[in-house]
């Protein structure tokens, strides 16, 4: 399973073909529930909210829940990396979701996650 960071969906919405290609080439695309919340929160009006919800359902992402284990792992990540790497709560939750589910994390924000032990990262770039 590949867990997609929120940035990949934003690139997809902006029409980046590389984002569409990487999502389409994934057998089991997944999102953290936190990424769903971020995407919905970014909606500027009712139409955009509808389109964001449709994007998630049309691609048939598996939505990974915010479980106690994910929360606990995210808390440890914050304790370990907030001061040294400025790890933010949202990134900690997404990283914890990837770690707890054993998923590879596909992100264009490699620098937000590269210091986390045992995380499997698939780097995304808009450059050819």
């Amino acid at each position: 399973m590949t867990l997609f960071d929120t940035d990949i969906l934003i690139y997809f919405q902006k029409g980046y073909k590389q984002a569409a290609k990487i999502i389409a080439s994934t057998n089991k695309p997944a999102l953290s529930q936190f990424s769903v919340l971020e995407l919905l929160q970014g909606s500027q009006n009712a139409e955009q909210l509808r389109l964001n919800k449709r994007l998630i359902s049309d691609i048939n992402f598996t939505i990974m829940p915010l479980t106690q284990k994910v929360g606990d792992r995210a808390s440890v990540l914050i304790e370990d990396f907030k001061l040294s790497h400025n790890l933010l709560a949202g990134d900690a939750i997404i990283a914890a979701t990837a770690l707890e589910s054993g998923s590879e994390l596909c992100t264009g924000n490699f620098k937000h996650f590269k210091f986390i032990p045992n995380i499997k990262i698939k780097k995304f770039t808009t450059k050819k």
Side-chain angles (χ1 to χ4, degrees):
M1 184 175 334
T2 300
L3 185 75
F4 287 92
D5 193 2
T6 314
D7 68 320
I8 306 300
L9 296 177
I10 293 168
Y11 284 123
F12 179 86
Q13 289 178 318
K14 290 182 176 181
Y16 284 81
K17 291 179 183 175
Q18 303 96 318
K21 183 177 177 182
I22 201 165
I23 292 169
S25 69
T26 301
N27 288 336
K28 295 182 180 180
L31 293 174
S32 165
Q33 181 67 52
F34 187 82
S35 290
V36 172
L37 295 172
E38 283 188 314
L39 190 64
L40 298 178
Q41 174 184 275
S43 302
Q44 300 298 312
N45 54 51
E47 176 64 11
Q48 196 172 34
L49 179 64
R50 186 186 67 74
L51 290 172
N52 285 337
K53 289 171 68 174
R54 185 171 172 196
L55 168 65
I56 294 164
S57 66
D58 284 356
I59 295 175
N60 200 26
F61 285 103
T62 297
I63 307 302
M64 305 302 293
L66 299 174
T67 64
Q68 183 69 46
K69 285 185 176 188
V70 167
D72 291 345
R73 175 76 69 103
S75 293
V76 170
L77 291 173
I78 290 288
E79 290 174 22
D80 290 348
F81 299 111
K82 170 56 185 158
L83 297 178
S84 61
H85 293 85
N86 197 32
L87 181 64
L88 301 177
D91 289 336
I93 292 168
I94 291 168
T97 302
L99 290 166
E100 287 298 319
S101 65
S103 299
E104 177 180 56
L105 175 61
C106 182
T107 182
N109 293 319
F110 177 70
K111 65 183 178 194
H112 294 186
F113 302 98
K114 67 181 180 180
F115 50 85
I116 297 173
N118 302 314
I119 194 162
K120 297 177 276 186
I121 298 177
K122 182 175 192 172
K123 292 182 191 178
F124 174 81
T125 180
T126 57
K127 298 177 184 175
K128 293 185 179 184

